[in-house]
Amino acid sequence: SALEPAMPSYDPFSAATPSNNLGDSFEGHVSVGGVEEDEDSSGDGDMIRREYDVMITPHPDFGIGLRLEGQLDGMPAIAGSYKKHPLNGGMLPAEKTGMIVLGDELLSVNGVSLEGLTFDDIIATVRQVGSDAPPNEALCMRFRPAPENRRRANSSAFSQAGGLNIA
C-alpha cells in the first residue's frame, strides 16, 4: 500500500549491507536496515510489519527532520510528519530514508529506550542522544509499526506535537 515503505533491493541482514549516500555529507547520509516482513497466517497474502531500525545521520544544521507527536504520557511518541529543509524546501534525512511510516511508534534511539517516558522526556532524551553522538555519525532509531486503526487516523487526533531538531 502507499503507506508501506519500499523494500531494499538487498538483504538487510547480510554482512555486506550497502550504504546509500544521498548527496554530500551536508545533506546527510542515510542507510536503513532491520526490516522484517512475514506473511499473515490467515493466508490472504497480507504482510505483517515488525519493529525496524532506521540509521539516520542528522543534517548538521537542521537535524533529522522528523516531527514527533505525543499520545498519552507513558506511551511511545509517534512519527507525525516530516520537516522540510528551510532554505530549499527539500527533504531532510528522515524523509530521505523512505523507511519511516508516519504514525509508527519511536521505541529507542541508539539503544536508549524511550518506552514509559513522558512526551517531554522522550524529546529531551532524543535530543541528548543526538547531541552526544559524534558529528556525521548515524543515529539508530527503532520504530514499531502503528496499529492499522491508528495508521488510518487523522494525525490531528493526537494531543501533543513537538519538533525534533537534533543539530
Side-chain angles (χ1 to χ4, degrees), residues 10 19 29 34 38 49 56 88 92-93 95 104-105 125 147 149:
Y10 61 92
S19 292
H29 172 78
D38 294 329
R49 293 176 44 235
I56 306 173
N88 64 22
L92 289 170
E95 187 175 8
D104 284 357
E105 300 173 340
T125 301
N149 60 345

Side-chain angles (χ1 to χ4, degrees), residues 85-97:
H85 192 290
L87 302 178
N88 64 22
M91 292 188 291
L92 289 170
E95 187 175 8
K96 284 182 180 181
T97 68

